[in-house]
DNA sequence: AAAAACCATTGACTTTTGTCAATGAAACGG
DNA sequence: CCGTTTCATTGACAAAAGTCAATGGTTTTT
């Protein structure tokens, strides 16, 4: 249990058996069925979720249409960090695209781990740093590249996600309408 | 010297006088003239820069046109984090929009501080967490809001930057052409 | 003080993306 | 297994953004 979680953690921060057991004692397992919410807009985000199995998405709703901020499959972490850290209402929804098994770090677990185990803080720092860099790149490609190139770089960067997730969600992730993505794919196929 | 730097630092992590002096010994001051580069694409980013005074921008160049990833004025921090942490070539440029005074944390200072002073690690974690949350919001508004609303929320969120920076750079930051922003401003003025 | 560079605005036109509606295929649930 | 839902595609048209070129006002430089 928690295998993937500790594998990812130890890639960044080596742990002794004792430290692993210590951290393990703060974690909570959770299963989610397809279409089930982990978080709904307006609630307070109660945990950071690590995906052991399955696939989730985080999205906001604006004028009735959904905009996907993030996907998370095995090995990824997902949360509304702002709501989690401040206790304010969440502005994002998180739900399961497939049946999923999660490892949850609740707010109190998070705070106690930060105090009790310096390596946890280091892991958090590295985790967020990586997420920040990835997000910077995504934003850069969003403001500087045409949709077609954004789409190819997405499928190259995340081929696994591109296969598991319906196309209209990838369009939503890229910030375009499904029809637009469909036409771009057609154009790319024709060119070839 | 370093007044603003320590003010911002101590807002997040209280320090004793001794800790402050310790950290101070790792910092490097630097002045930059308007238009001068702190970092050019292809170089390795040698420092994280905190802005004591002045204004900088970070941008990438794609097909001859510039795309601004970030502005940084007094109290902000700017860097090509990926290049800084990995030693790989930078993909961004950073230069001064006004004469500026910076506080630099070099790579070796960063590494030594992480080892020597846990509060530095905590500060870094909080700093990046805040930056990450801000970036998530920006991306969300980029994929979900029409340009006009993005512009108003920008000027409301960062009125100081909106005033100090030429309009075509704000357009670049928002991912549209200067003509488009000009027309949107006109439309907004007419409506009122 | 004059020349040069930079900047915002505007117009005419093109390209890209969105909207609405319809169709057929595939996936899903009972 | 059948009916329902979800999904991707396509067409016709509308709206938004980009391109190119010109203008006039600032600011900067010499």
């Amino acid at each position: 249990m928690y295998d993937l979680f500790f594998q990812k953690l130890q890639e960044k921060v080596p742990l002794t058996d004792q430290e692993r057991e210590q951290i393990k004692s703060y974690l909570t397992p959770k299963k989610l069925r397809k279409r089930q919410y982990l978080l709904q807009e307006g609630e307070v985000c109660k945990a950071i979720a690590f995906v052991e199995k399955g696939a989730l998405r985080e999205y906001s709703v604006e004028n009735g249409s959904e905009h996907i901020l993030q996907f998370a499959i095995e090995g990824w972490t997902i949360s509304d960090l702002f709501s989690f850290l401040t206790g304010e209402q969440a502005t994002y929804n998180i739900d399961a695209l497939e049946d999923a098994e999660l490892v949850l770090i609740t707010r109190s677990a998070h705070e106690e781990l930060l105090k009790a185990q310096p390596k946890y803080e280091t892991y958090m720092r590295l985790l967020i740093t990586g997420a920040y860099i990835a997000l910077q790149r995504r934003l850069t490609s969003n403001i500087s590249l045409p949709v077609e190139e954004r789409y190819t770089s997405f499928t190259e960067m995340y081929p696994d996600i591109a296969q598991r997730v319906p196309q209209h969600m990838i369009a939503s992730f890229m910030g375009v309408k499904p029809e637009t993505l469909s036409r771009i794919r057609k154009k790319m196929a024709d060119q070839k």
Side-chain angles (χ1 to χ4, degrees), chain A:
Chain A
M1 202 161 205
Y2 305 148
D3 288 350
L4 191 53
F5 177 84
F6 280 104
Q7 182 188 317
K8 289 284 174 184
L9 169 43
Q10 299 200 11
E11 272 173 24
K12 304 208 183 223
V13 187
L15 298 178
T16 66
D17 288 358
Q18 200 186 353
E19 287 164 342
R20 192 163 45 245
E21 291 310 310
Q22 178 199 20
I23 292 175
K24 200 171 276 188
S25 74
Y26 287 98
L27 304 177
T28 312
K30 171 150 189 159
K31 294 194 181 195
L32 228 53
R33 293 245 187 81
K34 184 172 177 174
R35 307 198 114 252
Q36 192 180 342
Y37 282 109
L38 178 64
L39 173 71
Q40 285 190 73
E41 194 177 336
E43 296 175 353
V44 172
C45 180
K46 289 177 289 295
I48 297 174
F50 176 89
V51 182
E52 282 279 333
K53 206 160 182 332
L56 318 205
R57 86 228 245 235
E58 180 170 8
Y59 64 97
S60 59
V61 178
E62 191 74 35
N63 298 56
S65 73
E66 299 176 352
H67 304 275
I68 296 181
L69 177 63
Q70 196 198 330
F71 294 110
I73 59 175
E74 291 83 9
W76 293 53
T77 300
I78 194 165
S79 177
D80 181 333
L81 253 199
F82 176 74
S83 171
F84 178 76
L85 294 172
T86 64
E88 306 263 328
Q89 291 194 347
T91 55
Y92 298 105
N93 303 274
I94 300 177
D95 66 9
L97 301 177
E98 308 169 0
D99 291 356
E101 296 174 20
L102 308 176
V103 181
L104 299 187
I105 303 170
T106 63
R107 176 113 182 251
S108 58
H110 177 73
E111 281 166 5
E112 289 170 32
L113 274 167
L114 282 175
K115 285 181 196 151
Q117 182 45 261
K119 289 185 181 178
Y120 176 78
E121 172 157 44
T122 300
Y123 177 57
M124 274 295 136
R125 177 175 58 83
L126 295 175
L127 193 65
I128 296 179
T129 302
Y132 176 71
I133 290 170
L135 205 57
Q136 277 196 336
R137 292 192 171 160
R138 179 164 161 217
L139 186 64
T140 300
S141 89
N142 247 280
I143 62 179
S144 49
L145 299 181
V147 183
E148 178 174 333
E149 293 177 41
R150 267 150 57 200
Y151 178 68
T152 31
S153 83
F154 175 83
T155 54
E156 281 165 17
M157 185 106 74
Y158 309 108
D160 35 356
I161 294 179
Q163 279 173 343
R164 280 165 80 169
V165 157
Q167 194 173 302
H168 71 272
M169 290 193 187
I170 296 172
S172 165
F173 180 88
M174 296 184 4
V176 299
K177 297 289 159 186
E179 296 93 332
T180 299
L181 180 56
S182 173
R183 288 183 177 114
I184 281 160
R185 280 164 48 87
K186 176 172 189 174
K187 206 183 77 185
M188 286 168 52
D190 288 355
Q191 282 173 357
K192 206 177 41 171

